[in-house]
Amino acid sequence: MSDRSPEQEKRTATTTKGAQRRALILDATEKILFESGYGELTMRAVAVTAQARLGHVQYYFPSRTELIDAVLRRTLDRSLDRLAPLFTDAAAHTPPDAEGLIRQLLAEHDDPRLVRVYAELWALAGRDEAVAAVLRTFYGEYQDHVAGFLRIRNPALPDTVCQARARVFTALIEGAALFRSGIAAHRTEAADAELINTATALLG
């Protein structure tokens, strides 16, 4: 039996229902980005895809900018949630398994939906400074994880070198997504082997 009052139970139910509605709207937005691209993303299209009233969509997200920001933050937060344990778990080994870490990072590219949504968001960031700022924050955190991994693996490396290598490593792995996903090119075993060798060298 719950110790909460009927009013508390009602607020919890309302909050949960609101969170579910928000999630459905964000799912619909991602679906449009994946299937049709940013050019087709309108509030009305989101409402139709989410099978919701336009007013409901606008209640949770008053503007398309706020909607895009919420999708972006959710997508990036999910990626960080997946990536952070990779660096933490790898850092617990002696010595850290750089190649194993890289292969796990590259496995992120196996989800074509995720790569396509990222491609749309990267393109959008080129036109929208607010989106670009969120992306910069995400990749800053990503690079900090890589730099921390480098410090554990190579304690003698200066911090400036760790940061520089982390930036190049991040650019290499993330840029490879477009070429390994089939968007700009298709992956090959030979190219993947060279990619892994290059990325491993960056990690020392």
Side-chain angles (χ1 to χ4, degrees):
M1 182 173 173
S2 175
D3 293 329
R4 293 180 297 182
S5 68
E7 185 60 33
Q8 288 174 318
E9 293 285 357
K10 183 177 180 181
R11 283 199 299 268
T12 299
T14 301
T15 301
T16 301
K17 194 171 185 178
Q20 291 172 343
R21 285 176 175 170
R22 280 176 56 91
L24 285 173
I25 292 169
L26 295 179
D27 288 343
T29 304
E30 284 188 8
K31 179 179 175 66
I32 294 170
L33 285 172
F34 173 67
E35 295 182 351
S36 306
Y38 177 71
E40 298 300 317
L41 184 64
T42 65
M43 300 295 273
R44 190 171 300 280
V46 171
V48 171
T49 303
Q51 297 183 333
R53 294 179 181 176
L54 179 59
H56 285 165
V57 175
Q58 293 172 326
Y59 171 79
Y60 291 103
F61 305 100
S63 69
R64 188 170 68 162
T65 298
E66 291 174 80
L67 176 61
I68 286 293
D69 182 71
V71 168
L72 180 58
R73 289 182 185 279
R74 187 178 73 160
T75 301
L76 298 182
D77 285 346
R78 284 175 173 175
S79 289
L80 279 179
D81 286 344
R82 288 193 298 270
L83 294 174
L86 299 182
F87 291 103
T88 302
D89 294 344
H93 294 81
T94 306
D97 181 12
E99 182 176 334
L101 170 66
I102 292 164
R103 289 187 181 279
Q104 290 182 75
L105 292 175
L106 292 178
E108 288 268 299
H109 302 172
D110 292 339
D111 183 351
R113 185 186 187 92
L114 181 64
V115 175
R116 185 69 61 85
V117 169
Y118 262 92
E120 290 294 330
L121 293 174
W122 287 330
L124 177 57
R127 301 188 296 271
D128 189 319
E129 175 54 29
V131 174
V134 177
L135 274 177
R136 286 194 294 269
T137 297
F138 165 71
Y139 283 116
E141 293 182 39
Y142 189 140
Q143 290 164 23
D144 286 344
H145 283 303
V146 178
F149 180 84
L150 272 164
R151 291 188 195 97
I152 293 172
R153 190 172 171 83
N154 303 281
L157 277 181
D159 187 63
T160 53
V161 175
C162 288
Q163 290 292 339
R165 286 193 185 183
R167 177 169 292 195
V168 175
F169 178 89
T170 303
L172 177 66
I173 297 297
E174 292 300 288
L178 292 175
F179 288 87
R180 299 180 74 251
S181 66
I183 294 176
H186 293 283
R187 73 183 66 178
T188 67
E189 290 186 11
D192 272 3
E194 290 298 327
L195 173 61
I196 291 169
N197 287 339
T198 302
T200 302
L202 282 169
L203 295 181

